[in-house]
Amino acid sequence: MQKSVRYNEGHALYLAFLARKEGTKRGFLSKKAAEASRWHEKWFALYQNVLFYFEGEQSGRPAGMYLLEGCSCERTPAPPRTSAGPAGARDALDKQYYFTVLFGHEGQKPLELRCEEEQAGKEWMEAIHQASYADILIEREVLMQKYIHLVQIVETEKIAANQLRHQLEDQDTEIERLKSEIVALNKTKERMRPYHSHQEDEDPDIKKIKKVQSFMRGWLCRRKWKTIVQDYICSPHAESMRKRNQIVFAMVEAESEYVHQLYILVNGFLRPLRMAASSKKPPISHDDVSSIFLNSETIMFLHEIFHQGLKARLANWPTLILADLFDILLPMLNIYQEFVRNHQYSLQVLANCKQNRDFDKLLKQYEANPACEGRMLETFLTYPMFQIPRYIITLHELLAHTPHEHVERKSLEFAKSKLEELSRVMHDEVSDTENIRKNLAIERMIVEGCDILLDTSQTFIRQGSLIQVPSVERGKLSKVRLGSLSLKKEGERQCFLFTKHFLICTRSSGGKLHLLKTGGVLSLIECTLIEEPDASDDDSKASGHMFGHLDFKIVVEPRDATPFTVVLLAPSRQEKAAWMSDISQCVDNIRCNGLMTIVFEENSKVTVPHMIKSDARLHKDDTDICFSKTLNSCKVPQIRYASVERLLERLTDLRFLSIDFLNTFLHTYRIFTTATVVLAKLSDIYKRPFTSIPVRSLELFFAASPNNRSEHMVDGKSPHLCRKFSSPPPLAVSRTSSPVRARKLSLTSSLNARIGALDLTTSSSSSSPTTHSPTASPPPHAASVLESAPADRAGDSTELSPCRSPSTPRHLRYRQPGGQATDSTHCSVSPASAFAIATAAAGHGSPPGFNNTERTCDKEFIIRRTATNRVLNVLRHWVSKHAQDFELNNELKMNVLNLLEEVLRDPDLLPQERKATANILRALSQDDQDEIHLKLEDIIQMTDCPKAECFETLSAMELAEQITLLDHIVFRSIPYEEFLGQGWMKLDKNERTPYIMKTSQHFNEMSNLVASQIMNYADVSSRANAIEKWVAVADICRCLHNYNGVLEITAALNRSAIYRLKKTWAKVSKQTKALMDKLQKTVSSEGRFKNLRETLKNCNPPAVPYLGMYLTDLAFIEEGTPNFTEEGLVNFSKMRMISHIIREIRQFQQTAYRIDQQPKVIQYLLDKALIIDEDTLYELSLKIEPRLPA
């Protein structure tokens, strides 16, 4: 009897309970009974792989259960029905869903089920299928087969290994046997040697044995080494060594290239010029050759040896040891100090030699050598300047991939530290070379050359076209030539402004620049800018009306020549304001520096450069500021990151004011602060100027005069810190008769002239002469009398001091009693007194202020004057170049007006300061709209012209000129604040940057007009002629420097609707196609518009660049760098990059075209009825030239 199977009933009931509560699928199903055609409705619950059924939904004990693992479920058709019974019942049974659960083992009958709805039946079948674990079983079967296959492979390998092991054992046995035989044979051979000495051939069996042994040893070694090598290749050490080797290989390539450059410098220039210097008619002397090339030949020999050592190290690869090479090289690199120190002088000598035509011709012949690859001698002389920094970068990268336990780690670190120390020593010379690189480019453009551009302190500010008005004696304008129509053509000048000089050039027909013979190079220290003519000057009033107040004067008073006046005419009021702002900025910066030199060097050995250098806050990083290595125009490190407070402190530092810092600050201040904060700081510096000077500077200021400090700075307060003071009037000083000198604010002195050497003469009240020795000091309270001297005695060397300061008015002299001049180093007149005398003499009357005694010793007076000058300087720059700030912010405008009115109420205000304040007030108060400038709204009104021209009647020149005029009007209407913050990429771009969006819209409309005009023609020849005409228009736009118009037309011609017209393009001439390729190459976006940037760099305004190029640059800067660091500091390096782009844009915006508007042409260009949309254009293109069948 078979035993029944036991199971745990309690566990089954627990599973049934879980199935009722948490079952995967629950519900009523009809179950077919064992008897045929009988169905019972049960309540089923599915839990995991067990299917329970109950008598009812409320039943607590299951009626049965099924294990579903390994089962399958399939749908079955409805069983056939007998005709008995009502028809409705039969239909209801037919609509029910039948399915059967088949079990995978024998002895188990299938489970037949049905449900009322088809959807429920499908859900039950899916749930049962998942509970059967069919997929898992299939996967298990597949894995089992793989396992069996792998087991078979393992068994096979085991058998093969056993066979190989047996073979090895047999071979070992055979080897041992053969060894014993060899030993026996050797013994036999030794015995038989006298009889068989002629048998030299080795036994073939021995050879076989040796081959087997060699094979086995090689196989075992290769297997072992393969494992070792694979493990090492995957290790981090190997990866680091690979990168290190790559750095070394790159270093060897760079060294090879550098040696090649030095070889060209020595063999292509130095040695041939030495030979030329030894000829009968030498174009250059040996001294000049030595001065130009310095020790470049020694540098070449040194690096040839170093390069040979590097190549020898590569022969020992992969073991690359370089530290010993650097140990040999380091002591010899000091020769670079001589090269860098004299590099500026080298370039200056080269520029002087190039004035010789024979030398210049010979040099161009050498530069034409194919080995030079178009590079000039200056380029080769610059290469050694960057070699030491290149070594430092290479060593830094090497150390980054050199393990700390590496044998040459310490040697490389030592070499890096020594090179950094050498680099710091050479840093000043290198920065000087960087500064003059741009100046050299301008110097090459000038045919005669320009020595002052080789001065490293020269910083380029701006350039542009101005018209020089001819003048005659006494600065009066020649009214005969003013009305001449050729004035614009004959008087047009290319002007270049630098921090210390102003260049005026003429342009020849070949494009070369020529300095004016008289007044071509103006030293700004000798210049005075006259912004507005005097009301009493009839000639100035006449010229103002004649030129629309677009003219301004530069009065030049050379030391050893007759003063003269340069009258320049700007194209527009906006450009005039920009030029005057920059020129006055440079002049005031020089004068303020000279004044601070006077103040700090009067009775102290501490010089101003030393004072600035000793102020750690100007060059050392701190928690709220970080500097870069690049120097600005004031020879102070540029700011990289800084807090807003430190930026405002730099803006109001009285010791210096960098022009590039001021431009950057005013362009971008709204990103990190507000105009109200900036104005509050300027107001504070005017009212309390001493708060702007750092404590260290104040200590140096009062270091030499403790009595003054104790007298004026008791309890930290000074009677002169407040501007509410009253004092007797100053010295009565005679006015100069020259209206030109009446406007000169003499605040500067030359570097080699002290204010103590002023040419002031005094006469004693006593009639008896008094003799003074050169070393004797005059009485401290000697009375002095100022007297006027005629201008023709300005060059009298017998009465002038040998070191007369250029800031001293020519009509003032200081005479000692007895007529003998006092030694300049012992003049009793203090800087404050000299400053007061000079400025009072330049004024109209004597405003109330300090008396003689007070001004003689009052350095605070000079500081206040410098502070006032600084505030007015910043405000003038702000108002003239950033007038939009005040047009959009009326509250800011009123606050500035109030501040300027407060300045005008200052009783001690100098005449020059009063005039500058009045000019700023006038510029801020008047609605200065440029009459010659059209506005964007004027363009729309032009479309009201009664009749427009058609394309056929317009010439290419007319179209190009009017397209250029429209493009420039739209381009210059963009305010610079729209370039901040990527507003053109935001959702509300139309509100944030309306003018940029209008520019983009205008570009698209012009491009659509070109494409629509071409597609309007039905015949092929007319379309080809239209294409040729538009290409000609684009070429004229290129000649007019309208590269935006070039891109508008080329973009239209490259549209798919036009580009696909093969028959039309076949009719276009080859010359037109070649011209179009040239234009496309110029405005191509490859290399970030590399060709277009180079073209814009070499062209002079007016010009219309492609705005999208600048927007791409700004987007790249905005996305790549944040505005603030993690510490909350302003990223001023980013502000500087943004400001550089904005300045370039505004340079092209400020210079207008001199093109007359033609309303009929403009109406044609702005007629939107001629424009066809993109889809219609493509449909027309398909209609003109259908697609070819595939």
Side-chain angles (χ1 to χ4, degrees):
M1 181 177 177
Q2 187 175 4
K3 261 179 130 177
S4 60
V5 178
R6 294 184 181 181
Y7 75 100
N8 192 335
E9 184 177 0
H11 185 62
L13 292 176
Y14 175 70
L15 291 177
F17 171 74
L18 291 178
R20 290 177 57 82
K21 187 177 180 181
E22 303 174 359
T24 307
K25 185 70 178 174
R26 293 168 291 181
F28 285 98
L29 292 174
S30 296
K31 173 178 175 296
K32 188 175 182 181
E35 303 86 17
S37 69
R38 290 195 61 185
W39 295 83
H40 301 284
E41 187 175 35
K42 305 291 184 180
W43 194 81
F44 284 80
L46 177 62
Y47 182 74
Q48 294 182 356
N49 63 337
V50 183
L51 180 65
F52 296 91
Y53 62 92
F54 303 82
E55 293 297 335
E57 186 176 359
Q58 303 300 326
S59 299
R61 188 180 183 85
M65 69 179 194
Y66 294 94
L67 293 175
L68 301 180
E69 185 172 353
C71 70
S72 61
C73 185
E74 60 183 19
R75 183 176 180 180
T76 56
R81 301 294 179 185
T82 58
S83 58
R90 290 197 304 271
D91 293 341
L93 291 174
D94 290 340
K95 291 181 180 179
Q96 290 185 348
Y97 192 84
Y98 293 83
F99 57 95
T100 304
V101 180
L102 303 175
F103 299 92
H105 51 274
E106 297 180 358
Q108 178 67 41
K109 295 182 180 179
L111 176 61
E112 298 184 20
L113 301 171
R114 74 180 182 188
C115 60
E116 300 295 335
E117 299 177 356
E118 182 178 358
Q119 182 63 28
K122 292 181 179 179
E123 291 177 358
W124 272 104
M125 287 182 64
E126 179 64 25
I128 293 171
H129 177 73
Q130 292 181 1
S132 66
Y133 302 150
D135 297 337
I136 297 177
L137 292 174
I138 294 173
E139 186 176 356
R140 176 180 176 277
E141 186 66 25
V142 172
L143 291 176
M144 184 58 69
Q145 291 178 1
K146 291 182 179 179
Y147 172 74
I148 294 171
H149 179 66
L150 291 175
V151 169
Q152 292 175 354
I153 293 174
V154 171
E155 291 296 330
T156 304
E157 291 294 328
K158 285 183 178 179
I159 294 172
N162 288 331
Q163 291 177 356
L164 183 59
R165 191 179 299 110
H166 290 311
Q167 290 178 5
L168 290 175
E169 292 174 356
D170 294 342
Q171 289 178 359
D172 289 340
T173 306
E174 184 67 19
I175 288 171
E176 293 296 329
R177 187 185 65 80
L178 292 173
K179 282 183 179 180
S180 60
E181 290 183 1
I182 289 170
V183 172
L185 288 172
N186 285 337
K187 292 180 180 179
T188 306
K189 186 176 181 180
E190 289 293 332
R191 291 195 301 267
M192 298 178 63
R193 184 178 297 275
Y195 307 100
H196 301 281
S197 58
H198 63 279
Q199 295 182 358
E200 298 292 339
D201 297 335
E202 193 175 10
D203 193 344
D205 293 335
I206 300 300
K207 290 184 179 180
K208 292 179 182 178
I209 292 171
K210 288 184 177 180
K211 283 187 178 180
V212 172
Q213 289 177 336
S214 177
F215 170 77
M216 292 303 298
R217 284 194 300 269
W219 179 78
L220 292 173
C221 289
R222 284 193 298 271
R223 184 177 178 182
K224 182 178 180 179
W225 276 108
K226 182 178 180 181
T227 305
I228 295 173
V229 170
Q230 286 178 347
D231 293 341
Y232 178 76
I233 289 174
C234 300
S235 66
H237 183 272
E239 179 66 23
S240 179
M241 288 298 102
R242 280 195 292 272
K243 293 181 179 178
R244 188 175 186 273
N245 290 339
Q246 290 175 0
I247 294 171
V248 174
F249 296 153
M251 176 184 174
V252 174
E253 292 180 2
E255 189 69 20
S256 177
E257 177 64 22
Y258 180 55
V259 170
H260 179 65
Q261 293 165 355
L262 292 176
Y263 179 83
I264 296 175
L265 176 64
V266 173
N267 293 280
F269 293 97
L270 172 57
R271 291 173 181 171
L273 286 177
R274 279 180 181 170
M275 295 176 62
S278 301
S279 61
K280 291 183 178 179
K281 295 182 179 180
I284 186 174
S285 65
H286 284 284
D287 290 339
D288 288 341
V289 173
S290 300
S291 299
I292 292 173
F293 294 94
L294 302 172
N295 55 352
S296 55
E297 191 170 15
T298 307
I299 294 176
M300 184 191 72
F301 292 148
L302 172 63
H303 284 277
E304 283 181 344
I305 297 172
F306 184 63
H307 184 231
Q308 293 297 329
L310 286 176
K311 291 197 295 185
R313 291 295 189 273
L314 286 183
N316 297 328
W317 188 88
T319 303
L320 296 176
I321 304 298
L322 304 175
D324 57 340
L325 285 178
F326 278 101
D327 291 340
I328 299 172
L329 180 66
L330 282 175
M332 304 180 185
L333 289 180
N334 290 327
I335 61 176
Y336 274 95
Q337 287 183 275
E338 179 185 352
F339 188 91
V340 173
R341 189 181 302 113
N342 298 291
H343 184 64
Q344 175 189 354
Y345 177 71
S346 167
L347 297 178
Q348 185 175 0
V349 172
L350 177 60
N352 292 335
C353 292
K354 289 172 71 174
Q355 302 298 323
N356 186 347
R357 293 183 179 180
D358 295 335
F359 174 80
D360 189 54
K361 181 179 179 181
L362 185 63
L363 183 61
K364 288 180 179 179
Q365 179 181 345
Y366 294 156
E367 291 174 347
N369 189 343
C372 295
E373 299 177 350
R375 292 171 290 184
M376 304 180 68
L377 175 57
E378 290 89 340
T379 305
F380 288 99
L381 290 173
T382 308
Y383 285 138
M385 305 290 291
F386 305 101
Q387 191 61 20
I388 301 299
R390 186 180 295 116
Y391 283 149
I392 295 174
I393 295 172
T394 303
L395 287 178
H396 180 77
E397 295 175 349
L398 270 178
L399 288 171
H401 299 288
T402 301
H404 289 279
E405 65 277 4
H406 198 276
V407 65
E408 59 175 0
R409 172 83 186 188
K410 293 184 179 180
S411 298
L412 290 177
E413 289 178 346
F414 176 77
K416 178 173 173 287
S417 65
K418 287 297 182 181
L419 286 173
E420 288 177 346
E421 182 180 352
L422 179 62
S423 178
R424 283 192 292 269
V425 174
M426 298 164 51
H427 184 267
D428 293 337
E429 289 82 355
V430 174
S431 61
D432 290 343
T433 303
E434 288 291 332
N435 289 335
I436 66 172
R437 177 179 294 179
K438 187 170 184 178
N439 297 354
L440 283 176
I442 300 176
E443 194 269 343
R444 294 190 196 103
M445 297 167 58
I446 301 174
V447 175
E448 299 85 359
C450 189
D451 295 343
I452 61 102
L453 295 183
L454 298 179
D455 182 6
T456 55
S457 61
Q458 291 284 2
T459 303
F460 174 77
I461 304 298
R462 67 181 289 119
Q463 73 179 79
S465 298
L466 297 173
I467 296 176
Q468 183 177 4
V469 180
S471 59
V472 293
E473 295 181 359
R474 298 181 183 178
K476 301 293 184 179
L477 299 179
S478 175
K479 298 181 181 179
V480 178
R481 298 187 59 192
L482 290 180
S484 175
L485 296 177
S486 62
L487 175 60
K488 291 184 179 180
K489 183 176 180 181
E490 294 178 358
E492 186 171 1
R493 305 286 186 261
Q494 288 297 322
C495 299
F496 299 90
L497 176 63
F498 298 86
T499 50
K500 293 184 178 180
H501 288 83
F502 185 74
L503 306 185
I504 304 177
C505 306
T506 59
R507 186 180 295 276
S508 62
S509 58
K512 293 291 184 179
L513 296 178
H514 298 270
L515 283 172
L516 295 182
K517 295 181 178 179
T518 303
V521 180
L522 306 181
S523 177
L524 294 180
I525 199 171
E526 301 172 345
C527 295
T528 301
L529 176 65
I530 299 181
E531 303 179 4
E532 297 292 340
D534 283 348
S536 60
D537 194 342
D538 296 336
D539 188 74
S540 298
K541 290 168 62 178
S543 65
H545 292 295
M546 186 175 300
F547 297 131
H549 298 283
L550 298 179
D551 58 323
F552 60 94
K553 298 179 183 178
I554 299 178
V555 179
V556 187
E557 294 180 291
R559 298 184 186 179
D560 304 323
T562 305
F564 61 93
T565 301
V566 177
V567 182
L568 297 173
L569 184 65
S572 64
R573 290 188 179 180
Q574 184 181 10
E575 192 160 356
K576 173 189 173 182
W579 273 104
M580 290 195 305
S581 176
D582 286 337
I583 295 174
S584 62
Q585 179 72 37
C586 296
V587 174
D588 292 346
N589 206 31
I590 295 174
R591 292 176 177 174
C592 285
N593 289 341
L595 178 60
M596 297 308 294
T597 303
I598 297 169
V599 173
F600 287 95
E601 292 183 3
E602 166 60 16
N603 294 315
S604 174
K605 295 181 180 179
V606 180
T607 62
V608 173
H610 178 70
M611 181 195 70
I612 294 177
K613 187 176 181 180
S614 63
D615 190 353
R617 293 166 62 87
L618 297 179
H619 54 84
K620 288 188 178 180
D621 296 347
D622 203 348
T623 55
D624 57 351
I625 195 167
C626 179
F627 295 95
S628 64
K629 293 183 178 180
T630 309
L631 303 181
N632 60 20
S633 58
C634 295
K635 298 302 179 184
V636 177
Q638 289 184 344
I639 297 175
R640 190 177 181 186
Y641 308 117
S643 62
V644 179
E645 291 76 14
R646 292 298 293 268
L647 292 176
L648 291 173
E649 178 185 315
R650 178 61 62 88
L651 179 69
T652 55
D653 196 325
L654 299 186
R655 294 168 292 179
F656 57 87
L657 178 60
S658 171
I659 297 176
D660 49 1
F661 173 83
L662 180 60
N663 286 329
T664 301
F665 186 91
L666 292 179
H667 275 136
T668 60
Y669 72 88
R670 56 182 49 79
I671 296 178
F672 51 86
T673 186
T674 61
T676 305
V677 175
V678 178
L679 184 60
K681 184 66 176 178
L682 293 176
S683 178
D684 184 68
I685 197 66
Y686 167 71
K687 297 175 182 177
R688 291 176 292 277
F690 275 81
T691 60
S692 66
I693 303 180
V695 177
R696 173 62 178 165
S697 300
L698 286 175
E699 292 175 357
L700 293 172
F701 179 78
F702 292 105
S705 54
N707 295 332
N708 291 344
R709 184 176 181 181
S710 61
E711 182 179 336
H712 298 296
M713 300 291 288
V714 177
D715 299 329
K717 297 181 181 180
S718 171
H720 306 297
L721 292 181
C722 178
R723 291 187 176 268
K724 295 180 179 180
F725 47 78
S726 177
S727 57
L731 288 169
V733 182
S734 61
R735 285 185 53 195
T736 177
S737 59
S738 171
V740 172
R741 296 175 189 168
R743 290 166 181 78
K744 183 171 182 180
L745 178 60
S746 300
L747 298 181
T748 184
S749 64
S750 60
L751 296 178
N752 60 349
R754 301 280 298 274
I755 191 63
L758 285 172
D759 257 344
L760 301 175
T761 59
T762 184
S763 60
S764 174
S765 58
S766 174
S767 59
S768 60
T770 305
T771 304
H772 293 270
S773 64
T775 59
S777 176
H781 301 287
S784 61
V785 178
L786 295 170
E787 38 181 54
S788 298
D792 56 356
R793 296 183 62 189
D796 190 0
S797 60
T798 61
E799 295 185 2
L800 290 182
S801 173
C803 52
R804 182 182 60 83
S805 170
S807 64
T808 307
R810 294 174 180 267
H811 62 286
L812 297 179
R813 295 181 180 179
Y814 182 62
R815 289 197 184 100
Q816 290 289 344
Q820 293 186 359
T822 306
D823 182 53
S824 61
T825 59
H826 294 278
C827 179
S828 63
V829 182
S830 71
S833 178
F835 175 78
I837 294 171
T839 52
H844 302 276
S846 300
F850 292 98
N851 56 26
N852 296 346
T853 305
E854 202 168 4
R855 290 195 175 191
T856 300
C857 303
D858 191 8
K859 295 181 179 180
E860 296 177 13
F861 176 78
I862 301 180
I863 296 298
R864 282 195 297 274
R865 300 276 58 85
T866 308
T868 303
N869 191 43
R870 172 57 45 82
V871 172
L872 294 178
N873 200 350
V874 174
L875 286 177
R876 176 172 52 196
H877 201 88
W878 196 357
V879 171
S880 62
K881 283 196 169 185
H882 307 270
Q884 297 166 351
D885 293 1
F886 306 96
E887 295 173 1
L888 302 177
N889 190 342
N890 190 52
E891 181 182 358
L892 174 66
K893 182 176 180 180
M894 296 305 299
N895 291 335
V896 174
L897 291 174
N898 293 335
L899 176 60
L900 293 174
E901 290 173 357
E902 182 179 353
V903 173
L904 285 177
R905 290 193 295 268
D906 188 349
D908 283 281
L909 196 67
L910 298 177
Q912 289 74 18
E913 296 171 346
R914 190 176 302 278
K915 185 174 182 179
T917 307
N919 288 337
I920 300 173
L921 272 171
R922 187 185 306 111
L924 195 60
S925 302
Q926 67 183 4
D927 188 13
D928 189 12
Q929 296 293 337
D930 207 334
E931 294 83 359
I932 66 171
H933 278 185
L934 293 174
K935 297 188 291 293
L936 199 59
E937 293 75 12
D938 299 333
I939 305 176
I940 302 174
Q941 297 177 0
M942 293 178 185
T943 57
D944 299 333
C945 187
K947 182 180 179 182
E949 298 284 347
C950 60
F951 180 71
E952 293 80 5
T953 59
L954 295 174
S955 66
M957 179 62 73
E958 291 175 332
L959 288 170
E961 287 182 346
Q962 299 307 305
I963 288 174
T964 301
L965 180 62
L966 290 177
D967 287 350
H968 191 264
I969 291 173
V970 175
F971 174 69
R972 73 166 177 240
S973 66
I974 305 174
Y976 70 91
E977 57 263 20
E978 290 194 8
F979 297 112
L980 303 175
Q982 286 184 283
W984 62 90
M985 300 178 67
K986 309 297 182 183
L987 295 178
D988 56 344
K989 55 188 177 183
N990 291 322
E991 291 77 20
R992 297 182 62 174
T993 56
Y995 289 94
I996 289 180
M997 302 314 298
K998 287 179 182 178
T999 305
S1000 176
Q1001 179 184 358
H1002 176 73
F1003 181 94
N1004 295 332
E1005 288 176 353
M1006 292 302 300
S1007 184
N1008 290 336
L1009 175 66
V1010 175
S1012 302
Q1013 186 63 55
I1014 295 172
M1015 297 302 296
N1016 276 333
Y1017 295 102
D1019 58 310
V1020 177
S1021 300
S1022 299
R1023 286 195 301 274
N1025 292 335
I1027 289 175
E1028 292 181 351
K1029 187 172 182 179
W1030 280 118
V1031 172
V1033 172
D1035 189 45
I1036 298 174
C1037 287
R1038 178 189 63 81
C1039 297
L1040 293 173
H1041 299 164
N1042 179 15
Y1043 301 101
N1044 185 74
V1046 175
L1047 197 55
E1048 287 172 349
I1049 297 173
T1050 56
L1053 298 177
N1054 283 320
R1055 289 192 175 189
S1056 56
I1058 296 177
Y1059 188 77
R1060 62 176 299 275
L1061 301 177
K1062 296 182 180 180
K1063 296 180 181 178
T1064 303
W1065 284 103
K1067 291 282 187 179
V1068 177
S1069 64
K1070 293 182 179 179
Q1071 293 81 358
T1072 301
K1073 291 180 180 178
L1075 179 58
M1076 183 177 173
D1077 291 340
K1078 177 183 176 182
L1079 296 173
Q1080 286 180 333
K1081 186 177 180 181
T1082 302
V1083 297
S1084 173
S1085 61
E1086 294 181 0
R1088 296 176 62 247
F1089 296 94
K1090 176 182 178 182
N1091 296 334
L1092 181 56
R1093 292 178 194 274
E1094 190 66 25
T1095 304
L1096 287 171
K1097 182 180 178 181
N1098 296 326
C1099 81
N1100 294 322
V1104 186
Y1106 174 54
L1107 182 63
M1109 176 181 68
Y1110 295 115
L1111 298 182
T1112 303
D1113 294 343
L1114 290 171
F1116 179 78
I1117 295 173
E1118 290 283 357
E1119 294 176 358
T1121 52
N1123 292 333
F1124 299 91
T1125 64
E1126 296 179 356
E1127 294 79 14
L1129 302 181
V1130 179
N1131 188 351
F1132 206 68
S1133 294
K1134 175 182 177 180
M1135 305 302 145
R1136 194 177 295 108
M1137 291 187 289
I1138 293 175
S1139 175
H1140 176 76
I1141 295 175
I1142 293 177
R1143 285 203 302 270
E1144 187 173 348
I1145 293 174
R1146 297 190 71 187
Q1147 178 185 358
F1148 294 118
Q1149 284 182 327
Q1150 290 172 354
T1151 308
Y1153 281 92
R1154 299 187 182 95
I1155 297 177
D1156 296 330
Q1157 61 194 45
Q1158 300 183 27
K1160 292 184 178 181
V1161 183
I1162 291 179
Q1163 183 179 4
Y1164 163 75
L1165 294 174
L1166 298 179
D1167 190 359
K1168 295 184 179 180
L1170 300 175
I1171 298 177
I1172 305 174
D1173 61 90
E1174 186 69 27
D1175 295 336
T1176 308
L1177 279 176
Y1178 199 76
E1179 292 176 2
L1180 284 174
S1181 177
L1182 292 176
K1183 189 180 296 184
I1184 292 171
E1185 292 188 18
R1187 289 194 183 98
L1188 297 175

